[in-house]
Amino acid sequence: MARLRREHHRLLGNGYCTRPPELDCTFEVICETCTCFQTSIEFRPTLQRQHDHAAQHQQSHRADLFQRLITGLDDQAS
């Protein structure tokens, strides 16, 4: 049971939160910049859509963030 608690990850729209369940999180919109955020290649389409949306709305900070995440996934895949 302890192993299951340690391996539990909360599913997010574009990755996983690896923060231990006993630690509360009061943030709702900074997941991608949190050290507990993890993503994988399966979320690349979602991250791409988020990047494209941010770019279309001139939100360069968000677009850069999503581009860094996408580039990291692409680097891992190659």
Side-chain angles (χ1 to χ4, degrees):
M1 189 66 160
R3 181 180 62 82
L4 287 175
R5 280 187 72 109
R6 282 192 309 272
E7 294 175 0
H8 172 76
H9 301 310
R10 286 169 274 188
L11 180 62
L12 304 171
N14 56 4
Y16 298 94
C17 176
T18 62
R19 181 181 298 276
E22 58 273 3
L23 296 179
D24 194 21
C25 179
T26 59
F27 302 106
E28 296 180 9
V29 295
I30 65 163
C31 294
E32 293 86 359
T33 59
C34 178
T35 58
C36 295
F37 177 77
Q38 296 290 317
T39 194
S40 63
I41 197 68
E42 67 186 292
F43 294 102
R44 194 187 189 292
T46 301
L47 293 167
Q48 186 66 57
R49 284 191 302 272
Q50 289 175 307
H51 168 270
D52 295 347
H53 180 270
Q56 289 169 357
H57 290 87
Q58 290 78 42
Q59 298 169 340
S60 58
H61 179 72
R62 287 185 63 236
D64 291 345
L65 168 68
F66 292 120
Q67 186 59 54
R68 284 193 302 273
L69 291 170
I70 292 166
T71 299
L73 290 176
D74 292 345
D75 290 347
Q76 288 175 4
S78 59

